[in-house]
Amino acid sequence: MFKIQTLNNISVAGLDRLPRDRYEVASEIAHPDAILVRSAKMHDLVIPDTVQAIGRAGAGTNNIPVPAMTARGIAVFNAPGANANAVKELVVAGMLIAARNIGQAWHFARGLTGDDAAIGKAVEAGKKHFVGFELPGRTLGVIGLGAIGVKVANAARALGMKVVGYDPTITIARAWQLSSDVQPALSIDDLLSRSDFVTFHVPLTNETRHMINAERVRIMKKGAVLLNFSREGILDDQAVVAALDEGHLYAYCCDFPNNLLKDHPRVVTLPHLGASTAEAEDNCAVMVADQVRDYLEDGNVVNSVNFPDICLPRNGGYRMAIVNSNVPNMVGQISTDLAAAKLNILDMLNRSRGDVAVTLIDVNQRCPEATVAQLRAIAGVLSVRCLGN
């Protein structure tokens, strides 16, 4: 019986992927094998020694101490792309809100007073203050062409916009999904200088923090619009507000309200709605539950942020999953100990990522506890699990 601890409300659609005859799931549970989380901050939590995996029902993992988990041999999974359509739709909405001055116009309309005739007269007199512009022919710059960025770029093309994209680490799979009409930018500065709208779909790291600052704002077209439905901190809010006040930028639409932004007349802030759809929450929960289950039962790794992807089909043998430091002769030492126990290796696969390696081994019979202890004693071995047949 596997024990799963939930730190947030996880969609039932995801929890239903964990059969109750094999999984015990609860928010309060002793000695969990895995943790499922959404937004709960885990950096100050004591993670039990029994935990083998953490599944984040979303894309970002900033709330999880990933390096510390890696050092302990704990796999951290996320759900990239599961909320991509939800975020894409909000980005498109953000462009329309900014271009048509929807926020300001709505605020104006809600403040109207008097009888219907007076309101009608005020509407006709006031609407000229909210004249906007249309999207076709405008250029959208997309920084980050992962699951979300690709969907945003393709949607903008369908709306008749020109699209410029920048992502030096774009994968082959995402490149195949991207519209052939999307033009590549040579750099972030090149993209900024060519775009009427700029949207960001990158994680928050030391390299991306304040990616848009006062210097880069000056590169942008006069009247450009910024959209941030990715992570707070990617844009320097002070620099953006200064450019709005000067009239250099037209509008800013984001998912991260604060005291500087929330009342600014040229800013629309939303309460972190990017992935807040029932469909996205279901998709994220299902994806991460499937990944955690596959790891616990078979040792396979898909969509981990700290472990290599690895998948070894079962062939009837007894499965062992070993996580170790990526250093020379680890597989040799493991094989030697198994041979000394007279275990025949039926199949084996080893994959590495950075400083971590995962080895899946199918042997002809259950590994003795004494041999498991020997494997765990090898310098650099982080975890050894016997998963049965």
Side-chain angles (χ1 to χ4, degrees):
M1 179 71 74
F2 293 107
K3 295 183 177 182
I4 309 295
Q5 182 180 14
T6 58
L7 298 186
N8 300 103
N9 290 327
I10 305 297
S11 166
V12 173
L15 299 182
D16 283 347
R17 311 289 284 198
L18 305 171
R20 293 302 183 265
D21 61 335
R22 303 192 65 184
Y23 288 84
E24 181 183 352
V25 182
S27 58
E28 298 290 338
I29 196 167
H31 313 300
D33 298 289
I35 295 173
L36 298 183
V37 62
R38 289 177 60 199
S39 58
K41 302 293 190 293
M42 298 184 64
H43 290 273
D44 295 327
L45 293 182
V46 176
I47 309 300
D49 292 338
T50 55
V51 171
Q52 298 294 327
I54 297 171
R56 161 76 162 92
T61 55
N62 289 4
N63 58 321
I64 301 171
V66 176
M69 297 302 96
T70 304
R72 290 176 52 179
I74 298 174
V76 178
F77 296 89
N78 66 344
N83 60 9
N85 188 70
V87 179
K88 175 205 75 178
E89 291 184 356
L90 199 59
V91 172
V92 172
M95 287 195 291
L96 293 168
I97 287 169
R100 299 300 299 273
N101 300 305
I102 299 298
Q104 298 88 338
W106 191 7
H107 180 73
F108 166 78
R110 287 168 62 88
L112 295 172
T113 59
D115 59 22
D116 287 350
I119 288 176
K121 185 176 181 180
V123 165
E124 292 306 313
K127 67 181 184 181
K128 63 179 177 291
H129 299 296
F130 308 107
V131 174
F133 57 90
E134 298 179 18
L135 300 184
R138 306 277 177 171
T139 298
L140 171 67
V142 182
I143 298 178
L145 293 167
I148 297 171
V150 166
K151 283 186 177 291
V152 169
N154 291 345
R157 284 295 302 134
L159 290 170
M161 301 182 74
K162 301 173 185 176
V163 180
V164 179
Y166 179 77
D167 189 338
T169 63
I170 186 172
T171 65
I172 294 174
R174 297 302 177 203
W176 275 107
Q177 295 168 357
L178 189 64
S179 169
S180 60
D181 294 326
V182 174
Q183 298 297 309
L186 299 176
S187 64
I188 293 175
D189 291 353
D190 177 42
L191 180 144
L192 295 175
S193 68
R194 297 161 61 183
S195 302
D196 301 296
F197 294 82
V198 180
T199 181
F200 303 83
H201 302 287
V202 295
L204 179 63
T205 65
N206 291 334
E207 290 72 30
T208 62
R209 183 178 296 277
H210 287 184
M211 175 184 289
I212 297 301
N213 51 29
E215 182 178 352
R216 278 191 161 145
V217 165
R218 288 193 291 271
I219 296 171
M220 300 180 68
K221 290 182 178 181
K222 182 177 174 58
V225 175
L226 288 168
L227 305 117
N228 180 18
F229 295 96
S230 182
R231 286 288 181 270
E232 186 175 16
I234 291 174
L235 281 69
D236 180 345
D237 290 341
Q238 296 279 357
V240 172
V241 167
L244 290 168
D245 291 342
E246 294 165 4
H248 183 68
L249 292 180
Y250 185 77
Y252 178 35
C253 193
C254 75
D255 229 2
F256 313 103
N258 58 38
N259 285 317
L260 178 66
L261 300 177
K262 67 183 181 65
D263 296 319
H264 194 283
R266 301 307 306 169
V267 178
V268 173
T269 57
L270 303 176
H272 207 175
L273 297 181
S276 293
T277 67
E279 294 87 348
E281 290 183 8
D282 286 351
N283 292 341
C284 288
V286 167
M287 181 181 288
V288 79
D290 285 348
Q291 291 164 181
V292 168
R293 179 182 176 184
D294 198 15
Y295 182 71
L296 292 178
E297 294 183 10
D298 295 319
N300 296 322
V301 178
V302 178
N303 288 332
S304 170
V305 299
N306 62 337
F307 279 22
D309 281 357
I310 185 170
C311 183
L312 183 65
R314 289 277 199 165
N315 65 1
Y318 287 79
R319 173 66 53 91
M320 300 183 68
I322 300 174
V323 180
N324 56 267
S325 300
N326 184 23
V327 296
N329 198 35
M330 292 302 298
V331 173
Q333 293 180 79
I334 293 167
S335 300
T336 297
D337 283 351
L338 294 178
K342 302 190 183 316
L343 294 173
N344 185 36
I345 296 176
L346 305 177
D347 207 351
M348 181 168 65
L349 186 63
N350 173 272
R351 292 287 184 269
S352 63
R353 176 179 179 177
D355 296 331
V356 176
V358 176
T359 305
L360 299 182
I361 306 173
D362 288 340
V363 292
N364 63 323
Q365 56 185 312
R366 188 177 298 278
C367 186
E369 284 299 322
T371 303
V372 172
Q374 281 184 300
L375 294 171
R376 287 175 176 154
I378 296 174
V381 167
L382 304 175
S383 72
V384 179
R385 293 187 297 139
C386 294
L387 306 179
N389 57 1

